[in-house]
Amino acid sequence: MSTAEDLFITVMDGERPVGRGDLSLALAGAELIDLVGAGAVTVRDGRIVPGGPATLGDGLTGEAAAALTRQAPYEWIEDWLWRRGNGLSDAYQAALEASGELRPRRSGRSPFGGSRLEPADTPASRRARDRWSERDPVLVALATVVGVEDEPDDRDEDAPGLDDEAVTTVVAAVHDAVMELEAVRQRRTIENAAFANLWRGP
């Protein structure tokens, strides 16, 4: 499975609510990290530069590769996250459900609110859980960005670190995009409250 699929399963296994918009941005980042790992792209000065051909399959990661901007000056990472991330969590849910990786939830609360699904007990989902339990740095970093667990203390020597500059750049861009999305939500909440007060009157 891809990093994005592992991230989706990790979120589904978690107890904390995760916004679909936040997850979509992180999934786009996970796809980009896998494209970097496959040699399909490089990250240069904050832009995504397509590389040589890579074997990515016909799944959503393959679709991501096909969606790359292949003309200079190429696309900013932030722009890619917003463009590719649009509705991406729904796409992954549908794909994982169709492949039997998700099943109806037996009990408990879903991190997606009313979505009554959970990861099935399959070899792929077990690999994703093993990756999480082994504290894979990329998976932990992306899951932390969307709130699956708290940000590690800078003094925590056991916190997994990223040792690839391109991956670090992508994770930082995902973090910034999620923060921007949260700022938009807060602004809308304030504006809606002000509008309601205006109609309510003195």
Side-chain angles (χ1 to χ4, degrees):
M1 289 176 67
S2 67
T3 299
E5 291 168 326
D6 290 348
L7 176 61
F8 195 99
I9 287 175
T10 299
V11 169
M12 293 291 284
D13 275 341
E15 295 296 327
R16 295 184 180 183
V18 174
R20 285 189 175 273
D22 296 350
L23 180 57
S24 290
L25 291 167
L27 290 170
E31 288 182 336
L32 184 54
I33 288 170
D34 279 353
L35 292 177
V36 170
V41 302
T42 58
V43 172
R44 188 184 306 157
D45 297 327
R47 294 184 185 270
I48 303 167
V49 181
T55 302
L56 299 166
D58 297 326
L60 286 166
T61 304
E63 290 182 13
L68 292 169
T69 299
R70 297 188 175 275
Q71 295 180 340
Y74 307 115
E75 191 168 23
W76 293 104
I77 294 174
E78 292 81 359
D79 293 341
W80 160 266
L81 295 176
W82 290 105
R83 180 172 67 84
R84 175 63 184 167
N86 186 21
L88 197 56
S89 64
D90 291 336
Y92 270 93
Q93 178 172 320
L96 290 170
E97 191 173 0
S99 64
E101 297 298 334
L102 297 180
R103 68 181 182 188
R105 180 172 287 269
R106 294 175 180 176
S107 61
R109 299 177 60 184
S110 167
F112 290 152
S115 179
R116 305 297 297 174
L117 295 170
E118 66 180 359
D121 186 16
T122 65
S125 66
R126 286 194 291 272
R127 284 194 299 271
R129 288 165 177 149
D130 287 344
R131 190 175 176 184
W132 176 252
S133 66
E134 292 166 3
R135 306 300 288 167
D136 175 85
V138 173
L139 186 59
V140 169
L142 290 170
T144 300
V145 167
V146 297
V148 172
E149 64 180 24
D150 294 331
E151 294 277 356
D153 191 308
D154 291 339
R155 297 166 296 180
D156 185 358
E157 296 181 356
D158 295 327
L162 300 171
D163 57 5
D164 184 281
E165 184 178 352
V167 172
T168 301
T169 300
V170 173
V171 171
V174 172
H175 181 274
D176 291 346
V178 169
M179 292 298 100
E180 183 179 345
L181 182 58
E182 178 59 26
V184 170
R185 290 195 193 105
Q186 293 180 2
R187 186 164 61 248
R188 286 178 178 171
T189 299
I190 294 171
E191 290 172 351
N192 290 340
F195 186 75
N197 289 334
L198 177 64
W199 279 100
R200 194 175 295 120

